[in-house]
Amino acid sequence: MIDIDYQSRTPIYVQIVNEIEKCIIHGKLKPEDQMPSIRELASELGINPNTVKKSYSELENKNIIKSISTKGTFITSKIEEIVEEKINTSFGVIQKEIDELKMLGFTLDEIRERIK
């Protein structure tokens, strides 16, 4: 489920957050699905449990997961909002890059052609 690049400069906890977000966007994780425990995921990935805990904290801060005492950690039911926010953020980044290319003198047709 989670693919980590141990050679990447991106911190492992950020990679875990990104991978879980991808799983949600692609429908591999659905609202109310239970997440592995911190220890289980750490063991599966061969990393320190504190790294997974940091990832889960980040995901909780983003309202992607929720921890329920004695029951576990679950994907929230607000996934549609989270996916929409991620899509809007991605399009914002793309628009910024397109604007920068325009400032460099490219037309929209030239940009489209290069993307193809």
Side-chain angles (χ1 to χ4, degrees):
M1 175 172 83
I2 295 176
D3 187 28
I4 300 298
D5 179 0
Y6 298 96
Q7 305 303 317
S8 174
R9 290 180 179 243
T10 303
I12 291 175
Y13 86 94
V14 173
Q15 291 183 53
I16 293 169
V17 169
N18 292 340
E19 287 291 309
I20 290 172
E21 286 176 340
K22 273 194 237 178
C23 287
I24 291 168
I25 289 168
H26 293 126
K28 294 177 184 172
L29 288 172
K30 295 177 178 39
E32 306 303 325
D33 279 355
Q34 186 167 9
M35 296 291 295
S37 73
I38 290 171
R39 289 186 189 277
E40 286 173 328
L41 188 55
S43 176
E44 180 183 316
L45 298 174
I47 61 174
N48 188 305
N50 289 330
T51 304
V52 175
K53 184 175 182 184
K54 189 170 184 179
S55 298
Y56 276 24
S57 292
E58 181 77 18
L59 289 163
E60 270 194 277
N61 289 339
K62 291 178 155 192
N63 294 317
I64 293 173
I65 63 172
K66 61 183 174 189
S67 294
I68 300 173
S69 181
T70 71
K71 296 197 183 217
T73 304
F74 300 85
I75 302 294
T76 64
S77 58
K78 300 177 182 182
I79 296 305
E80 293 81 21
E81 297 166 20
I82 294 162
V83 170
E84 187 66 30
E85 183 181 324
K86 186 81 169 168
I87 289 168
N88 289 337
T89 300
S90 296
F91 275 114
V93 169
I94 292 168
Q95 186 61 54
K96 183 179 175 186
E97 294 299 323
I98 289 171
D99 292 344
E100 192 170 320
L101 288 168
K102 285 180 178 178
M103 286 176 37
L104 292 170
F106 287 90
T107 66
L108 273 175
D109 288 336
E110 291 171 325
I111 295 168
R112 281 189 202 107
E113 192 59 37
R114 282 250 175 118
I115 290 172
K116 288 180 186 179

